[in-house]
Amino acid sequence: FLSVASDLAKESYRRTGLSGALQTSQSILETGWGQSVGVDKYTGQMSYNIFGIKGTGPAGSVTIRTWEVYNGVRYNVDDDFRAYNSIAESWNDYNTFLLEKERYEPVRRR
């Protein structure tokens, strides 16, 4: 997993200037070193979503059992996560996410 993530991070850094270390670390954190990439609990569809982004992606979405904390209490919930056609597509979408969302402006500072 580290080899794939490192290659994608290097290419991404050259293209966007975003920290390759940050991206690699986030992918490791979200997937447990690539061991836990979301799969739809009903259909078995692989999401290739290595950053845990919720919503609908280029390949639709997958329903995954996850947890949220509300008012200090942890709840198990089913939620929709973006689905992709490949890990590279997920990586590129994550770059777009970081580059376009206002709340990630600090990440864009050099």
Side-chain angles (χ1 to χ4, degrees):
F1 181 80
L2 186 56
S3 176
V4 170
S6 294
D7 289 345
L8 289 166
K10 288 176 203 171
E11 187 277 324
S12 172
Y13 174 73
R14 283 191 290 273
R15 190 172 33 80
T16 67
L18 293 170
S19 167
L22 176 130
Q23 295 173 70
T24 303
S25 299
Q26 186 71 32
S27 69
I28 290 168
L29 176 69
E30 292 292 340
T31 66
W33 291 91
Q35 298 301 304
S36 180
V37 178
V39 175
D40 190 278
K41 71 180 272 184
Y42 298 109
T43 67
Q45 176 187 346
M46 171 65 73
S47 71
Y48 297 104
N49 184 339
I50 60 172
F51 294 102
I53 301 174
K54 293 180 180 177
T56 303
S61 63
V62 295
T63 302
I64 298 173
R65 179 63 127 189
T66 188
W67 55 272
E68 300 289 342
V69 176
Y70 300 104
N71 297 319
V73 179
R74 179 181 162 150
Y75 295 91
N76 290 322
V77 297
D78 288 346
D79 214 338
D80 291 332
F81 287 78
R82 294 181 185 194
Y84 301 94
N85 297 296
S86 68
I87 290 174
E89 188 174 55
S90 173
W91 202 285
N92 290 333
D93 188 50
Y94 178 66
N95 285 179
T96 301
F97 205 72
L98 293 176
L99 290 168
E100 294 180 358
K101 299 288 184 183
E102 186 59 34
R103 69 180 178 178
Y104 295 109
E105 190 277 328
V107 173
R108 298 188 291 270
R109 291 187 204 142
R110 295 187 189 177

